[in-house]
Amino acid sequence: MSTRQRAVAFDVLETLLNIEPLRERLDGIGQPEQLLQPWFMRFQRDSMALSLSGDFGSFHEVARQALRTDTEHTASEADIDHVLEGFAELPAHSDAEPALRRLSESGVRVGCLTVGNPDATARFLESAGLARHVDRVVTAEQAGVWKPAPSIYRVAAHRLGVAPRDMALVAVHAWDCHGAKRAGCRAGWCSRLEGEYGEVFTPADATADDLVTLADRLLELPER
């Protein structure tokens, strides 16, 4: 029996891409570095809220409004531009390239499924040396809906040329893995960010402390 996963789609923000350097940009505009996580969480929450209400906001407009709010409207528009421009210059986590390479060399179609800006995502993948391992990038803007709506995972599977059951999502967010599972996909969860998988979410099919081990475990899953 074949054990090869046909396609794997990686979340980008915090899974492949390290957002920690944005703290320096916040500090550079006179804001506390500790604002990074609250701002990023507000951005994700507001994006999901728009999607649940039947609307859609682009990455930059929602991230911009969230930063206005979390700085208590003390950051200028130029300041906010400076922070948002940092997304295109962020580094990859050290396990990102070997994990993508491992899957690609095994014959698996590799994709990225992100809520991030399409242009910034493309620049990140190129500058981080990941683009050569990625067959397709699918963004929330292209799908017209935000994670974790089931339809966005199905769009990603379609773009990768497989049925949802033949695609696995990889993320450091349990809620993202849950969305993929609800869409009929498999899911691989890396514990680097959250430590323990949330009990309220549908369990992932494979878990690991790093992306390389997780890639190997996804390759070991039996064919469905």
Side-chain angles (χ1 to χ4, degrees):
M1 178 182 292
S2 172
T3 60
R4 177 171 293 171
Q5 189 71 43
R6 292 186 61 191
V8 176
F10 283 78
D11 169 58
V12 175
L13 299 176
E14 295 190 296
T15 299
L16 296 179
L17 182 154
N18 184 358
I19 68 171
E20 287 298 306
L22 290 175
R23 295 185 189 276
E24 295 180 11
R25 287 188 175 248
L26 287 168
D27 181 67
I29 64 169
Q31 299 293 334
E33 294 183 1
Q34 295 85 346
L35 194 65
L36 177 61
Q37 283 302 326
W39 165 50
F40 194 67
M41 292 298 292
R42 180 183 294 276
F43 154 68
Q44 291 186 87
R45 185 205 65 188
D46 290 354
S47 300
M48 292 178 188
L50 285 168
S51 191
L52 284 169
S53 66
D55 294 316
F56 184 85
S58 71
F59 174 86
H60 269 108
E61 67 180 337
V62 181
R64 177 179 293 278
Q65 183 57 61
L67 193 52
R68 289 188 190 115
T69 301
D70 273 354
T71 61
E72 299 180 351
H73 305 279
T74 60
S76 69
E77 293 304 300
D79 288 340
I80 294 173
D81 284 339
H82 175 72
V83 177
L84 295 183
E85 287 165 1
F87 276 100
E89 300 177 7
L90 293 176
H93 285 289
S94 60
D95 54 356
E97 194 278 335
L100 269 64
R101 173 163 37 87
R102 174 80 174 92
L103 291 167
S104 181
E105 290 177 350
S106 296
V108 174
R109 290 185 62 78
V110 176
C112 288
L113 177 57
T114 180
V115 299
N117 174 270
D119 293 336
T121 300
R123 289 196 296 271
F124 157 69
L125 292 173
E126 191 64 42
S127 64
L130 304 180
R132 65 182 181 275
H133 303 306
V134 177
D135 297 293
R136 182 76 65 173
V137 175
V138 180
T139 70
E141 289 185 28
Q142 294 167 342
V145 67
W146 286 80
K147 297 179 185 179
S151 60
I152 194 171
Y153 304 98
R154 294 172 185 144
V155 168
H158 175 74
R159 296 285 179 87
L160 284 167
V162 301
R165 63 181 285 113
D166 294 321
M167 185 189 84
L169 174 87
V170 170
V172 294
H173 311 103
W175 61 262
D176 202 357
C177 292
H178 176 83
K181 293 291 292 180
R182 295 289 291 170
C185 305
R186 280 174 161 165
W189 177 74
C190 176
S191 65
R192 181 175 60 229
L193 179 69
E194 297 172 337
E196 294 187 11
Y197 198 87
E199 294 181 359
V200 297
F201 300 116
T202 302
D205 298 277
T207 65
D209 295 334
D210 65 89
L211 295 178
V212 179
T213 303
L214 187 55
D216 285 334
R217 290 178 180 172
L218 287 172
L219 289 171
E220 292 168 358
L221 291 175
E223 187 176 31
R224 293 202 291 186

